[in-house]
Amino acid sequence: MALWLYRLGRFSAHRAWLVICAWILIIGMVGGAAVLFMGTMSNNFQIPGTETQQMADKLKADLPEASGGSGSVVFTSTNGQAFTPAQETVISAVLVTATSVPTVKGVVDPFTTTAMLADAQKKLADGTTALTAGEAQLADAKKTLDASAAQLADGQSKITAGQAQLDAQKASMSALPAGSAQASAAAAQLAGAQSQIDAQQAAIEAGKTQLAQGQSKYDASAKELAAKKAELVTGQRSAEAASGLRFVSENGKAAVGQVQFSESMNAVTPANRQLLQDKLNTLSSSGVSVHYSKEITEDVSALFGISEVLGIAVAAAVLIIMLGTLLAAGLPLLMAVVGVGIGVGGTLALSGAIEMSSISPMLALMLGLAVGIDYSLFIVNRHRQQLVAGMEMRESIAKATGTSGNAVLFAGLTVVIALAALSVTGLPFLSILGLAAAATVAVAVLIALTLTPALLSLMGRRVISKRGWARSEKLRQQHTAEDAGLSTEDIAQIVKSKDIARSARGWGGLVTKHPVISLVTAVVALGIIAIPASGLRLALPDGGSEPVDSSAYQAYSITGANFGEGMNGPIIVVGALPAGLDKASATALNLDVADQLRQVPNVKAAVPVTVSKDFKTAVYQVIPDEGPASASTVQVVHDLRAEGTTIKADHGVTIGLTGQTAANVDVSSKLGEALPPYLAIVVGLSLLLLILVFRSILVPILATAGFLLSLVAAFGGVVAVYQWGWLGGIFDVANPSAVLSFLPIILIGVLFGLAMDYQVFIASGMREAFVHGQDAKQAVRSGFKHAAPVVTAAAIIMTSVFSGFIFSHLTMVRPLGFALAFGVLIDAFVVRMTIIPAAMHLLGKSAWWIPEWLNKILPDVDVEGAKLVGLNPAEAAETELEPADAR
């Protein structure tokens, strides 16, 4: 590999303009593709196949009017007082104008909605009063009917008795002589009595008819009253369900409106978001302040902010100090910019065809800048050392590419593999993110191995300052005078003795003089830093994680203070209702389900929102007690899903959760599950690659153990700052909450690759010294002495670049920037430059032990470039990759 890279470096140096033109052509093609095909970035972290996605798809199919994105608008008066009637009117009027914004399909006016709710409450109160009066009237009517019925029954009883007596008298008439005067008189008397009884019976029958009519009227009134009572009960239950929702605060100083979009928030363009804000911002002239939720203000179209530029400026300052000339310092920066331009440009070009999260180009940008500078620096630094030693320029470029370039290739390969391995998690957005970053790192490696040698060839001797050349010449003359009359062997021995003496000084000498103290102190320190990692809690960011002066943070905090934290993260519940329901039965059933949802701990409100026209699909909105990223809200999501079994058994309704809050919980849970297997893959990969490179068993184990120490310490720092709020004022963490859910898995992949970078550059020098005959313990010092300066500069540069993202305009990137900067700082200076040399010094020769059978089957990757030692220019000419040679 070293010989092949030597040839590539020599070709690039001899055919500099060809290489440069090829890269310019690539830049132009990628830039054009990005301009033509770039799509909209998003922060949609949905996972296909999850309940959240299934319910969202069901909602889109069954209730398209309830689908689409939504955002909140929070209004307050600028003087801190309650809204005046004039302000309420102008807010309502301006909200109406918002519907003219493309993709806005409706708004919820807080004052109109509150007035409607108040009117409904008044109607309920009036209905209750009317119902009470109606029930009293009905009771009076019932008493009258009962009295009439009793009177009729008594009259009927008397008539029946009188008829029986009359019938008895009629029977007794048979004893009287027929035709006698006595019989005639009795018959006349009985006929009169019968006539009187018949009249009374007729009156009773009339009374019964009147009573039946009264009863019928009573029954109709009772039925109507029962219907009104049922309607009133439904209204009261609906009001009770909505009692936890407010759109205007109790003190009248804040109001929350809703903007409903016809498409998902990820599809709403920055231009339409801004147009919406422009229309509502006109309220400032009426003494009204307007703040927007994160969904509305989020614009992920910009990649660079001022903080990122400052990070690069620090990296440039380190390069100038190290290399001593602006021209040499500018070369690694230029290589990084070219690599980032191609890598990020290609990522953006694909965003039109692939749904891509905003963090994908940001991670590619972050890594591309860091590794692009470092990889080019390693080759430039080796080339400068060789030039000073007197090597011919192009030969030096070729050998620098074959030696340091070999380490660059391997180090870059570890980063690429670690990032590409994110695809095994089964999370589409994470796979795209990892592949985009891996491609950018791969481009950085190719640029370092081709474009850097080409530009070095054009720069010639100017890669070293005039002062540097003068100092080098003075030292050369001094050495020539000192070596006069000495044999080659004596000179070599003197040089070796001086190197050994110098290696005993500095940090490397201190660590190896006190290896036990250094090792124990470093491990204990990292263990203490890692303690907070035991409390790691994962979630996706919400408005509370935005900068304090941002509109999104203001909207979040005002909403939480006036309406409860849960209003910032409602949970959407979708219910599949049983067949055969009508409007009344569906309404009652939905209220039953809402009642049961409210029984879940830490649920503040559960409201039936809407139902499909066929009464088969219903939507409920659940408001938790706390914000969307809180531990209690995460538990609410789990409890609601568990309650679904009971709701199905009790009511025959199958429920599922969707919405951003539930989706965030699903994503965090899925990422947590993917973390252990991914870590196992990365650790296993680390061991295999390092065994291949260093042909040792203990060195890879040490390197991997060091990586794990760096990792848990980085986790500890992130939890302390972003979850616990330590040093929150310094890092602008106003509202500490759960850690970004995909930060751990990204940190594992990136930090692993970068840790292996430093391991290769530190340990390869140690192995080279050991292989060339030095004592194992001395080889540790010698290798450290030669690698430490460039690794130190590289680590400072990489930390500076990552630190620039700690204050990024995209708050999602901030904890990731901190984690990477802190992790690199720890890994480079504590693990690679303290723990590794101390441990290897203690291990001595056993550090390089490998079973003989394994040593025979391992391929020789020659990371140290041993095959290039003694390679003369004539041999180089034979290996040069030129068209003529190829023929």
Side-chain angles (χ1 to χ4, degrees):
M1 183 61 72
L3 189 58
W4 187 89
L5 290 175
Y6 171 89
R7 296 169 181 172
L8 179 62
R10 189 172 180 84
F11 173 81
S12 298
H14 278 275
R15 296 289 184 268
W17 283 110
L18 177 63
V19 173
I20 292 170
C21 290
W23 280 110
I24 290 174
L25 179 62
I26 293 172
I27 292 171
M29 292 172 62
V30 171
V35 171
L36 293 173
F37 305 116
M38 184 173 67
T40 303
M41 296 288 107
S42 75
N43 280 330
N44 179 18
F45 302 113
Q46 293 281 15
I47 304 175
T50 61
E51 177 185 292
T52 303
Q53 189 60 50
Q54 291 171 354
M55 291 301 103
D57 294 341
K58 176 178 176 60
L59 202 58
K60 187 174 182 179
D62 297 350
L63 271 166
E65 64 274 15
S67 62
S70 65
S72 300
V73 184
V74 180
F75 305 96
T76 57
S77 57
T78 53
N79 60 9
Q81 300 300 314
F83 294 111
T84 64
Q87 287 175 326
E88 293 181 5
T89 301
V90 73
I91 289 173
S92 298
V94 171
L95 275 173
V96 172
T97 67
T99 56
S100 63
V101 175
T103 74
V104 172
K105 68 179 180 181
V107 296
V108 176
D109 183 337
F111 301 107
T112 301
T113 304
T114 300
M116 290 173 60
L117 290 174
D119 184 57
Q121 288 285 2
K122 184 177 182 303
K123 288 181 178 179
L124 285 174
D126 293 343
T128 302
T129 301
L131 183 65
T132 302
E135 287 177 335
Q137 292 177 356
L138 203 61
D140 291 342
K142 179 64 173 173
K143 290 178 182 179
T144 301
L145 287 173
D146 290 344
S148 298
Q151 186 178 1
L152 287 172
D154 182 60
Q156 183 66 57
S157 177
K158 289 180 178 179
I159 290 173
T160 301
Q163 184 65 52
Q165 184 179 4
L166 185 61
D167 290 341
Q169 290 176 354
K170 287 180 178 179
S172 64
M173 283 181 59
S174 60
L176 296 176
S180 64
Q182 186 177 4
S184 298
Q189 185 179 3
L190 290 174
Q194 184 64 55
S195 178
Q196 185 177 3
I197 288 175
D198 290 343
Q200 291 174 348
Q201 184 64 49
I204 289 294
E205 294 301 327
K208 287 181 178 180
T209 300
Q210 187 176 1
L211 180 63
Q213 292 174 347
Q215 185 66 48
S216 177
K217 185 177 180 180
Y218 171 83
D219 292 339
S221 298
K223 184 177 181 180
E224 181 181 356
L225 199 63
K228 288 182 178 180
K229 185 174 182 178
E231 183 180 347
L232 186 64
V233 169
T234 299
Q236 289 172 335
R237 292 184 66 192
S238 299
E240 181 183 353
S243 61
L245 287 177
R246 294 188 65 88
F247 297 92
V248 178
S249 63
E250 293 182 359
N251 57 19
K253 297 181 180 180
V256 176
Q258 293 285 331
V259 178
Q260 185 72 30
F261 295 86
S262 58
E263 54 191 6
S264 69
M265 290 307 302
N266 300 316
V268 180
T269 63
N272 285 338
R273 294 171 191 259
Q274 188 57 52
L275 180 58
L276 173 65
Q277 295 174 54
D278 291 342
K279 286 186 175 295
L280 297 180
N281 286 340
T282 57
L283 288 167
S284 58
S285 60
S286 303
V288 176
S289 297
V290 187
H291 303 288
Y292 307 93
S293 67
K294 182 172 178 284
E295 293 80 10
I296 294 176
T297 61
E298 192 170 52
D299 181 5
V300 296
S301 58
L303 294 180
F304 256 109
I306 185 64
S307 61
E308 291 89 339
V309 174
L310 290 176
I312 296 174
V314 174
V318 174
L319 286 170
I320 293 171
I321 293 171
M322 179 183 179
L323 301 178
T325 169
L326 288 174
L327 193 61
L331 180 58
L333 284 174
L334 177 62
M335 298 300 93
V337 171
V338 172
V340 163
I342 295 173
V344 175
T347 301
L348 295 177
L350 292 173
S351 65
I354 302 172
E355 184 175 355
M356 194 172 293
S357 65
S358 62
I359 202 171
S360 294
M362 286 300 294
L363 182 62
L365 173 67
M366 206 185 307
L367 281 176
L369 284 173
V371 302
I373 293 173
D374 279 2
Y375 291 166
S376 182
L377 173 62
F378 291 141
I379 295 175
V380 170
N381 184 65
R382 184 66 173 254
H383 172 56
R384 282 162 50 91
Q385 291 175 349
Q386 294 171 165
L387 279 183
V388 168
M391 189 178 293
E392 189 272 331
M393 183 191 66
R394 288 180 177 172
E395 177 68 12
S396 174
I397 294 172
K399 283 196 172 180
T401 307
T403 52
S404 292
N406 203 2
V408 164
L409 178 63
F410 172 78
L413 182 63
T414 61
V415 180
V416 168
I417 293 175
L419 290 169
L422 289 171
S423 301
V424 306
T425 61
L427 309 177
F429 76 89
L430 200 56
S431 299
I432 293 170
L433 182 151
L435 292 174
T440 304
V441 172
V443 170
V445 171
L446 290 175
I447 287 174
L449 296 176
T450 56
L451 188 57
T452 298
L455 291 176
L456 284 174
S457 177
L458 296 181
M459 291 171 65
R461 290 170 55 90
R462 289 173 296 174
V463 74
I464 300 174
S465 66
K466 293 180 179 179
R467 182 180 300 178
W469 280 116
R471 184 168 57 251
S472 173
E473 184 61 30
K474 183 178 179 182
L475 288 173
R476 187 181 295 108
Q477 292 174 0
Q478 180 182 342
H479 290 159
T480 301
E482 292 175 353
D483 298 340
L486 298 177
S487 66
T488 304
E489 291 77 8
D490 290 338
I491 294 173
Q493 188 61 41
I494 291 173
V495 171
K496 182 179 179 180
S497 298
K498 288 182 178 180
D499 282 345
I500 291 175
R502 281 194 295 266
S503 68
R505 297 192 293 267
W507 182 252
L510 178 65
V511 169
T512 52
K513 284 177 184 176
H514 308 284
V516 175
I517 295 175
S518 300
L519 182 63
V520 172
T521 302
V523 171
V524 170
L526 291 184
I528 293 172
I529 295 173
I531 290 175
S534 61
L536 178 66
R537 188 167 59 82
L538 304 178
L540 286 174
D542 54 31
S545 62
E546 295 292 306
V548 176
D549 58 350
S550 68
S551 179
Y553 180 84
Q554 294 299 319
Y556 184 94
S557 56
I558 292 171
T559 300
N562 290 276
F563 304 96
E565 294 289 344
M567 279 289 286
N568 287 303
I571 301 168
I572 306 302
V573 179
V574 180
L577 307 182
L581 298 178
D582 57 17
K583 183 177 180 179
S585 58
T587 300
L589 181 58
N590 286 335
L591 288 170
D592 291 338
V593 172
D595 289 343
Q596 198 153 337
L597 292 174
R598 278 197 302 278
Q599 301 307 310
V600 172
N602 296 311
V603 168
K604 182 178 181 180
V607 186
V609 177
T610 187
V611 65
S612 62
K613 294 178 180 179
D614 59 4
F615 305 113
K616 291 183 178 180
T617 303
V619 178
Y620 316 86
Q621 188 177 65
V622 175
I623 307 297
D625 285 334
E626 297 185 332
S630 68
S632 68
T633 299
V634 173
Q635 188 59 45
V636 166
V637 170
H638 296 314
D639 291 345
L640 286 172
R641 285 173 171 158
E643 190 69 19
T645 303
T646 305
I647 292 175
K648 174 67 175 176
D650 293 347
H651 306 293
V653 178
T654 303
I655 66 167
L657 274 56
T658 190
Q660 196 61 49
T661 301
N664 290 354
V665 173
D666 284 347
V667 171
S668 299
S669 176
K670 187 74 173 178
L671 286 167
E673 293 172 1
L675 197 58
Y678 179 71
L679 180 59
I681 291 172
V682 170
V683 169
L685 179 65
S686 169
L687 288 170
L688 291 176
L689 288 177
L690 292 178
I691 289 173
L692 177 65
V693 170
F694 296 115
R695 312 185 83 80
S696 163
I697 299 298
L698 293 180
V699 172
I701 292 175
L702 278 176
T704 304
F707 158 67
L708 294 176
L709 275 174
S710 302
L711 183 66
V712 294
F715 283 159
V718 170
V719 170
V721 174
Y722 291 92
Q723 188 173 316
W724 292 359
W726 294 4
L727 304 178
I730 296 176
F731 294 103
D732 193 20
V733 183
N735 188 21
S737 60
V739 173
L740 184 67
S741 56
F742 49 84
L743 181 149
I745 203 164
I746 293 177
L747 181 61
I748 288 172
V750 175
L751 189 58
F752 160 70
L754 301 181
M756 294 309 102
D757 283 2
Y758 300 134
Q759 179 69 24
V760 169
F761 285 105
I762 287 286
S764 60
M766 297 176 184
R767 175 171 173 77
E768 184 177 359
F770 176 72
V771 169
H772 291 168
Q774 286 193 8
D775 173 76
K777 293 182 181 292
Q778 178 56 43
V780 171
R781 290 181 175 178
S782 298
F784 184 91
K785 169 188 163 296
H786 288 99
V790 69
V791 170
T792 298
I796 293 173
I797 289 169
M798 198 166 284
T799 301
S800 301
V801 172
F802 288 148
S803 296
F805 291 85
I806 295 176
F807 302 97
S808 171
H809 62 293
L810 295 178
T811 54
M812 188 182 301
V813 176
R814 293 184 175 192
L816 184 57
F818 175 87
L820 290 173
F822 190 56
V824 166
L825 200 64
I826 288 174
D827 191 83
F829 293 106
V830 181
V831 175
R832 308 302 153 190
M833 300 181 71
T834 304
I835 292 177
I836 294 298
M840 291 185 66
H841 191 271
L842 288 172
L843 289 171
K845 188 176 180 180
S846 60
W848 303 108
W849 174 82
I850 186 172
E852 188 62 29
W853 63 268
L854 181 59
N855 188 46
K856 289 180 180 179
I857 64 174
L858 286 177
D860 184 8
V861 296
D862 190 22
V863 173
E864 302 86 4
K867 293 181 179 178
L868 300 182
V869 176
L871 187 66
N872 58 53
E875 293 172 318
E878 294 176 3
T879 63
E880 187 175 340
L881 293 177
E882 295 183 13
D885 296 330
R887 290 193 297 269

